[in-house]
Amino acid sequence: MKSISLILILLFFTNFIPAQMSTSSPIIRQRPIKLDQKRIDLSLEYMKMHYGIIQKEPTIVPKMIVLHYTEGGTLESNIQYFKAPYLSSRPDLTDGSNLNVSAQFIIDRDGSIYQLLPSNFFARHTIGLNYCAIGVENIGGSKNPLTAAQVNANAYLIRYLSEKYPIEYLIGHSEYFIFRNTRLWKDKNPNYYTQKFDPGEEFMQQLRAKVQDLHLKNQP
Ligand SMILES: [Zn+2]
């Protein structure tokens, strides 16, 4: 008798578990980069210098998600690197701004998602498009392909961000050149451009298959 009522109670409660919770969703963990005055000033300066955008706060209205891989390092070493407000070891990027590169999110090889910056805070990760793009870094690289867990975690995060913001575009960093010479590309310097290969075509294919229903565009 006791076991029957226990089963009934369990059946009652499992009906009330929201669909999202019943499929083991990865959670977004917080590893905030300090939003100190240095970072704020450097971000505002970058926005003004590269995009002609003058604002009081370095915030963005996200309409694009750009996926990346780090190419090297661990979760911790990459978080440590992104924490510094000033750019240190990237001579290819010293074009006019000392703001360090970063991304709003970073995903470890086991699919754990970490948030480094508020999703609408400016981050330097994709030339020409930073003013409207949320960057997602993934630990991995050309010799260390991204994992199935990372595909799932990116899909989860894209879904989450698409509910929060009017996201129209989803691209891999290697695809960003398509936006050059369009109204979306805002960099004032037409020669400021570097070729990218991350996060890889196969990864993007697998990912797009998982978020097909969101109808995100991959070109202007
Ligand atoms: Zn990248």
Side-chain angles (χ1 to χ4, degrees):
M1 190 61 185
K2 260 188 186 168
S3 60
I4 289 173
S5 34
L6 185 66
I7 288 166
L8 283 174
I9 288 167
L10 279 174
L11 278 174
F12 179 80
F13 279 109
T14 47
N15 273 330
F16 287 88
I17 295 175
Q20 260 196 328
M21 280 176 71
S22 59
T23 59
S24 57
S25 299
I27 348 153
I28 299 171
R29 299 161 205 218
Q30 299 301 315
R31 287 291 301 271
I33 288 177
K34 211 166 125 197
L35 303 181
D36 56 14
Q37 201 56 46
K38 265 182 236 156
R39 179 171 293 276
I40 291 169
D41 289 347
L42 286 164
S43 303
L44 289 171
E45 184 194 67
Y46 188 104
M47 291 171 88
K48 187 179 165 188
M49 187 190 295
H50 285 270
Y51 305 134
I53 296 173
I54 299 168
Q55 290 179 180
K56 284 193 175 133
E57 304 288 336
T59 52
I60 66 167
V61 179
K63 53 179 155 190
M64 178 183 292
I65 297 171
V66 184
L67 307 180
H68 305 260
Y69 61 45
T70 56
E71 185 61 349
T74 62
L75 175 77
E76 288 309 320
S77 70
N78 277 284
I79 291 178
Q80 284 312 313
Y81 183 80
F82 293 146
K83 267 186 181 174
Y86 290 102
L87 193 65
S88 54
S89 59
R90 293 280 302 270
D92 57 320
L93 285 182
T94 50
D95 192 46
S97 174
N98 288 320
L99 174 65
N100 194 14
V101 292
S102 64
Q104 287 86 348
F105 296 91
I106 188 164
I107 299 180
D108 205 357
R109 300 195 54 78
D110 66 356
S112 306
I113 304 170
Y114 297 86
Q115 182 162 14
L116 307 181
L117 291 166
S119 39
N120 68 339
F121 193 91
F122 187 84
R124 180 180 192 175
H125 57 92
T126 304
I127 293 169
L129 302 165
N130 290 312
Y131 74 95
C132 71
I134 293 177
V136 181
E137 280 286 356
N138 285 272
I139 303 297
S142 47
K143 287 175 189 135
N144 204 11
L146 300 182
T147 65
Q150 282 170 310
V151 175
N152 289 333
N154 278 267
Y156 170 84
L157 184 58
I158 289 159
R159 218 168 266 290
Y160 166 81
L161 292 170
S162 296
E163 278 172 21
K164 220 172 150 175
Y165 301 108
I167 304 290
E168 280 179 67
Y169 304 94
L170 167 67
I171 60 167
H173 199 182
S174 65
E175 300 167 327
Y176 85 127
F177 66 93
I178 303 169
F179 289 83
R180 272 180 103 191
N181 305 316
T182 71
R183 63 180 176 85
L184 277 161
W185 187 279
K186 281 211 194 293
D187 208 286
K188 290 184 158 195
N189 179 353
N191 301 319
Y192 186 39
Y193 171 76
T194 50
Q195 196 180 2
K196 294 291 174 183
F197 301 96
D198 61 319
E201 210 177 303
E202 200 185 328
F203 179 80
M204 288 309 295
Q205 266 174 19
Q206 291 170 353
L207 182 68
R208 287 198 168 107
K210 286 194 185 282
V211 294
Q212 227 174 2
D213 57 301
L214 298 177
H215 305 293
L216 298 172
K217 293 181 259 183
N218 61 2
Q219 50 187 291

